[in-house]
Amino acid sequence: MRTFPPYRIQVVKEIPITTREQREEALARAAYNTFDLPSNMVTIDLLTDSGTGAVSAAQEAAAAQADRAYAGSDAYYRFRAAVDDLTSYPHTFPVHQGRAAERVLFTSVLKPGQISVSNTHFDTTRANVELLGAEARDLPCAEFADLDSREPFKGNIDLAALEQTLAGPDGERVGQVLVTITNNGGGGQPVSMANLKAVRELCDRYGVPFFLDAARFAENAWLVVRREPGYGHLTPKQVAQEAFALADGCVASLKKDGIAPMGALIGVRDPEIAKRCEVNLIATEGFRTYGGMAAHDLERVAQGLEEVIDPHYLASREADAAHFADLVTQAGVDIVQPSGMHALYLNAGRLLSHIPPSGFPGHALACELYLAGGVRCVELGSLYLGGFDENHNLVTPAPFELVRVAIPRRTYTQAHLEYVADVLADIAKDPSRVASYRVVDAPPLLRHFNLKLERIPAGS
């Protein structure tokens, strides 16, 4: 029988329907930066899966009765119980969102000149490392280089490269190893338990702390259950518990697999690191029992952590992503294979082969998706990962020109995703008509959030 969502829809929100002319004007006003589009001009918003999922009736009921005490509220203890059940870390703190958790933990662990090694640092993760004067070094596994292969765990860190780094002349500078599950910057691909165990062994051997960026811990656990030999008999909760147990701690944006509008987590084993985190947290975010989170968000997260590990929910989410992936590839647009769960990653470099990296084919496809159908998404290519000179010219292209089409949790139906596939199919009929872009202005850090561009018509 077909897999179906283990819920029914009881409250709906209208979405904007716009014309091409209206979208042309809106994108021009936004200086061709999709982050600057007002949401009332977006029909299908697939920019991110962070904080954009639909909350359940149980989450809203819990939020309505939240205890708003400044210190030691009932909401905190419910949050703590849900986190303790999953992670077993003796020291855990709520934080208002993932980038704040990164800042607090990294400030407590890293020093200027040190190295943070990861399978892939995502945007704010990299920024929080670099703002400390440290280096963010990515070591994705070799299998990810073949976007078309169906290797099941292309999110893994390169173990040989990790050991070479730890044993080499830079080894003394490595302040942490951070493994992101699933690997958002690496095509949304999962990380195997075998890889995590090997990282644990290497970190023990060389005396380096090992942390997880666990924003999508439940989805990674589900893909382990589905793909890794020896784990098919376990529940996603059991796999998640084993993954957390392997690490010295974690940061986790709970706007993803907490299925909440706001919230994050810091968890650590080392009491000295915990003390440094706590002082930083209280000084900059809020008291240790709320960390900048409102009580109703603590309640939503606590309930969301229970709902997200339901195998029926995870099976439905995997099926939706797989169905979407089939439609997109049938439309003539290649994606990073195999499809994951929280997003599809479109191979814009292959589809828009007439646009060189300096014209930003990933961004060009993201803009065309918006212009053609009101669909908002974001590129993960040279605009995000490339090296630029002082005049905003591309100097070092990214290895791949991708577009991330994120799938918010419990938000869009299959009909919405089918519509997006139809828009892509129309673009794929004549990709040569898609315009390229040039950067007019951009900040030196996290430029994709704030840059301004000009459109260069096709054929110019």
Side-chain angles (χ1 to χ4, degrees):
M1 295 184 184
R2 297 188 185 190
T3 301
F4 60 86
Y7 53 83
R8 63 183 179 188
I9 299 167
Q10 295 194 163
V11 178
V12 298
K13 179 179 174 63
E14 290 186 6
I15 58 178
I17 307 298
T18 58
T19 66
R20 170 99 188 197
E21 182 180 13
Q22 290 172 324
R23 296 191 292 271
E24 291 271 8
E25 293 174 357
L27 193 57
R29 286 195 300 270
Y32 300 98
N33 184 344
T34 56
F35 282 96
D36 284 336
L37 287 168
S39 64
N40 64 8
M41 290 300 299
V42 177
T43 301
I44 307 292
D45 201 343
L46 307 183
L47 183 72
T48 181
D49 64 319
S50 179
T52 56
V55 294
S56 68
Q59 285 177 291
E60 287 305 279
Q65 58 85 47
D67 172 13
R68 298 182 182 179
Y70 179 89
S73 76
D74 291 343
Y76 164 73
Y77 288 109
R78 186 173 176 213
F79 169 89
R80 181 64 190 263
V83 168
D84 287 353
D85 189 38
L86 281 169
T87 70
S88 74
Y89 298 133
H91 310 284
T92 57
F93 305 100
V95 195
H96 82 277
Q97 66 176 30
R99 63 195 66 180
E102 293 166 353
R103 181 189 60 77
V104 171
L105 178 64
F106 297 170
T107 301
S108 304
V109 174
L110 294 174
K111 299 175 182 177
Q114 287 191 312
I115 300 170
S116 172
V117 179
S118 180
N119 50 348
T120 309
H121 296 82
F122 205 59
D123 49 13
T124 61
T125 319
R126 177 177 299 277
N128 276 308
V129 169
E130 293 176 349
L131 284 169
L132 292 170
E135 175 191 343
R137 185 177 296 184
D138 294 338
L139 300 177
C141 67
E143 289 82 357
F144 181 69
D146 184 354
L147 301 184
D148 300 316
S149 81
R150 294 185 175 271
E151 290 290 327
F153 292 103
K154 290 160 67 173
N156 286 348
I157 196 168
D158 186 326
L159 295 171
L162 175 60
E163 182 166 18
Q164 185 178 18
T165 301
L166 294 173
D170 287 338
E172 292 185 355
R173 294 174 53 216
V174 177
Q176 68 176 17
V177 174
L178 180 75
V179 177
T180 306
I181 55 173
T182 55
N183 190 345
N184 190 21
Q189 299 294 303
V191 177
S192 71
M193 295 301 295
N195 193 253
L196 293 179
K197 290 176 181 178
V199 172
R200 174 74 275 166
E201 191 276 329
L202 287 171
C203 287
D204 284 342
R205 190 189 312 169
Y206 292 96
V208 176
F210 167 32
F211 298 105
L212 295 175
D213 179 346
R216 299 173 180 87
F217 73 91
E219 294 177 2
N220 197 87
W222 177 251
L223 293 174
V224 165
V225 170
R226 298 277 287 154
R227 298 179 184 178
E228 188 165 2
Y231 285 88
H233 67 289
L234 298 180
T235 67
K237 180 179 179 179
Q238 290 171 322
V239 175
Q241 289 170 327
E242 183 176 331
F244 282 119
L246 287 168
D248 295 308
C250 76
V251 289
S253 168
L254 300 176
K255 296 166 67 176
K256 285 82 169 175
D257 273 355
I259 327 183
M262 192 59 66
L265 161 71
I266 300 170
V268 294
R269 300 192 189 282
D270 188 307
E272 292 304 314
I273 293 176
K275 288 178 183 178
R276 294 196 291 269
C277 285
E278 184 176 342
V279 169
N280 194 318
L281 184 78
I282 294 174
T284 62
E285 295 291 329
F287 190 61
R288 71 175 72 90
T289 60
Y290 78 93
M293 288 180 68
H296 54 252
D297 284 321
L298 284 166
E299 290 282 3
R300 289 190 184 99
V301 164
Q303 178 64 30
L305 288 174
E306 294 180 16
E307 294 176 5
V308 77
I309 53 177
D310 175 9
H312 299 294
Y313 158 75
L314 290 167
S316 169
R317 185 151 169 80
E318 181 192 24
D320 282 348
H323 176 63
F324 189 25
D326 288 342
L327 293 173
V328 169
T329 55
Q330 290 167 18
V333 180
D334 291 328
I335 66 169
V336 175
Q337 295 286 0
S339 61
M341 290 175 69
H342 86 273
L344 299 189
Y345 291 70
L346 313 179
N347 191 336
R350 185 175 294 171
L351 179 67
L352 305 183
S353 57
H354 64 288
I355 299 178
S358 58
F360 309 111
H363 186 71
L365 181 55
C367 286
E368 194 62 25
L369 266 164
Y370 175 72
L371 294 171
V375 180
R376 176 159 64 171
C377 50
V378 66
E379 77 101 55
L380 291 182
S382 290
L383 198 61
Y384 164 57
L385 293 169
F388 286 69
D389 64 20
E390 64 277 5
N391 296 315
H392 311 301
N393 297 310
L394 182 67
V395 176
T396 308
F400 306 107
E401 304 293 342
L402 305 177
V403 173
R404 188 187 71 175
V405 183
I407 308 172
R409 291 160 186 80
R410 306 188 296 203
T411 302
Y412 293 111
T413 67
Q414 283 196 354
H416 292 110
L417 300 180
E418 288 164 0
Y419 166 76
V420 176
D422 287 344
V423 176
L424 279 167
D426 187 64
I427 295 170
K429 290 176 183 176
D430 185 13
S432 63
R433 67 188 175 185
V434 177
S436 59
Y437 292 81
R438 71 164 64 95
V439 177
V440 175
D441 188 42
L445 197 65
L446 293 172
R447 62 174 170 261
H448 53 292
F449 287 118
N450 293 310
L451 54 75
K452 299 182 185 303
L453 304 103
E454 289 180 343
R455 188 181 184 194
I456 306 171
S460 297

